[in-house]
Amino acid sequence: MKRRSGTITGDPGGSNWVERTAARTMLRAVRFNDEDFAKPLVALAVPYTNGTPCNDHIRALGDLLQAELEEAGAKVIVFGTPVVSDGISMGTEAMKYSLVSREVIADAIELMTEGYQVDAVVTLSGCDKTIPAALMPIARNDLVGLTLYGGSIRPGHHGGRDLNIVSAFEGIGAHSAGKIDANELHQIECHACPGAGSCGGMYTANTMAAAIEALGMSVPGASSNMAVEADNQLSKDKQGDLRRTATILMMLLKSGISARQIMTRNAFANALTLVWALGGSTNAVLHLLALAREAEVSLTLQEMAELTAKVPLLGNFKPYGRYLMNDLQPLGGIPVVMKHLLDNGLLHGDCLTVSGRTLAENLADAPDLPAGQDVVFPLTAPYAPAGKHIRVLFGNLAPEGCVLKKSGKDLSTMRGPARVFEREEEAMQAILSGRIKPGDIVVIRYEGPKGGPGMREMLSPSAALMGAGLGDSVALLTDGRFSGGTHGIMIGHISPEAQVGGPLALVAEGDLIEINLDDETLNLLVEDAELTRRRAGWRAPAANDRRGVLAKYARLVSSASTGAVTC
């Protein structure tokens, strides 16, 4: 099982034992002993911070997992990574660092796995970007390893209803519209997030955790287990996930099963199908494109659209629906949904998973979708038919594509005047001051991967629209992206982005824009000659960040249509 680490520690009795003496000397200072040098070396990424509930419990999980791995026969090197909270940074300059952190975390994990030539790796995750980032380097270098999600937060309670973080964002809009008073907003603030765990709806964290389980790269059932019990102590289910993760990692080491044997094109098709069926976040599009690139699996926006064209919306989850992940878990969790999809021919059951078994074998003992509940609808009577959730559009405003989130809404065609804003904050003030009217199409540009830089999420303006009662009558278009907590008529990831001269840069206040879902197009209804005239006068705005991580990111990052990756 000591596949690579002998190059660092030396192989006992091997030709490199003497020359690696100095390395072992330093390792002995951090409590390695003679027996440890014969054990497989395992990297354990623990993205802990007390700066967000999503990762507040991750250090405790890491301590327990280290003990489980060492009990199973490994020697573990533990390290941390950055964590940027989307919910806390939302609507500020700090949000520019969120998507950037995905790349930094992935690179940090690669630095540790390759810098120590470990034999295998386990990565923990919590907040949104830590989840794809935890898997990207495993795929990039075809490592033996797997990832484990820290689990979902429990709902808060106030006034006889369940609350979550989006309750607070929408409360801001409701307060500005005069629908709730300051005291009610304060009560929401104080009760929405009761303890540790990632945001509870089918937002980005739960979406990506479920997608990675469908990819086969985490232990079956782990994505829907709660982070903590009602007393805010680690849940028994999550502790069980730790034990299963340690057992599975040692099996993977013995068998030599590596990431790319699991992360095949059919595995990505499974992940996409589950995301569409659950009603998941549009961020999954960005992250699955990035993961496919790391795994060297060909996958485009157009292919995503084709793979999911027949997948109905089954999940009745927030932000658009009624329920949270804690409502699915007692029914059997994500495996229940996957089994229902598999039994109806929508998943590839022969895909290998980290358990060493196929997806179908993992799901053989999962319960059937229960009758008499409305958390997840059956395929025979879905929450909404195929084509009613995430749609990929092209057109003269998005030649490389964009992503629309419908969340079950009946929308075929919408045409309206552009209300143009150069950054998120300008649009937010217009919404809160009542300057946006029904029928408007809000355009927020220069928020793309390069233009932001960092491709901020637009949860604050989208939630403000919902809170003001404009969610069904105002569309929001951006080259930025949307939080998994977003719902309404939202189109993001418009590519090419404005900063590189994409057509979004040419939109003028009052221009007519048409969203046509029958043709799957997003078009600017302006004559070509006028667009040519505007382009001749257009110049890219000067970069705001000339040094530091944002400047590096802006120079390296690809289009959102290819996952906004830097490698």
Side-chain angles (χ1 to χ4, degrees), residues 192-434:
C193 293
S198 297
C199 302
M202 200 50 65
Y203 312 143
T204 303
N206 282 330
T207 296
M208 284 309 301
I212 288 172
E213 184 172 328
L215 266 175
M217 287 302 296
S218 64
V219 294
S223 65
S224 43
N225 285 335
M226 296 294 100
V228 296
E229 305 288 359
D231 61 0
N232 206 33
Q233 299 301 305
L234 291 178
S235 74
K236 293 181 175 60
D237 289 330
K238 194 51 62 180
Q239 292 180 57
D241 293 339
L242 296 173
R243 289 188 287 273
R244 291 191 294 145
T245 294
T247 299
I248 283 175
L249 184 77
M250 299 308 288
M251 179 278 296
L252 291 172
L253 267 171
K254 290 175 183 176
S255 64
I257 297 173
S258 62
R260 292 188 184 177
Q261 296 174 54
I262 297 168
M263 298 174 68
T264 63
R265 183 173 175 82
N266 281 348
F268 277 95
N270 287 343
L272 287 163
T273 296
L274 181 62
V275 168
W276 259 245
L278 289 171
S281 166
T282 53
N283 278 317
V285 173
L286 204 66
H287 298 323
L288 288 170
L289 285 170
L291 284 165
R293 181 163 173 155
E294 299 284 14
E296 296 188 347
V297 170
S298 176
L299 185 64
T300 66
L301 271 177
Q302 183 60 53
E303 289 170 331
M304 281 187 165
E306 292 165 0
L307 288 168
T308 57
K310 296 181 180 180
V311 181
L313 177 57
L314 306 182
N316 183 12
F317 294 107
K318 291 182 182 295
Y320 59 87
R322 179 178 177 185
Y323 296 106
L324 300 168
M325 186 63 88
N326 67 288
D327 298 300
L328 176 62
Q329 199 266 350
L331 303 179
I334 291 298
V336 166
V337 183
M338 290 174 64
K339 184 177 183 181
H340 186 64
L341 294 169
L342 177 68
D343 289 347
N344 286 275
L346 290 179
L347 294 181
H348 299 278
D350 58 349
C351 288
L352 182 65
T353 72
V354 291
S355 70
R357 303 191 302 170
T358 66
L359 185 74
E361 289 170 336
N362 286 344
L363 296 173
D365 296 327
D368 293 326
L369 187 67
Q373 52 80 32
D374 62 349
V375 178
V376 177
F377 285 65
L379 283 159
T380 52
Y383 183 93
K388 293 287 188 179
H389 182 46
I390 297 174
R391 298 283 292 274
V392 176
L393 309 180
F394 295 88
N396 73 357
L397 198 50
E400 293 178 4
C402 61
V403 180
L404 164 71
K405 185 176 184 180
K406 290 182 68 178
S407 303
K409 291 182 173 60
D410 288 321
L411 173 68
S412 178
T413 299
M414 179 178 181
R415 181 182 293 186
R419 304 297 309 280
V420 182
F421 303 94
E422 310 301 327
R423 60 201 310 264
E424 176 187 0
E425 288 84 352
E426 295 176 9
M428 185 68 172
Q429 289 306 310
I431 296 165
L432 294 180
S433 63

Side-chain angles (χ1 to χ4, degrees), residues 145-156:
L146 70 163
T147 185
L148 177 63
Y149 175 49
S152 182
I153 195 172
R154 292 185 177 275

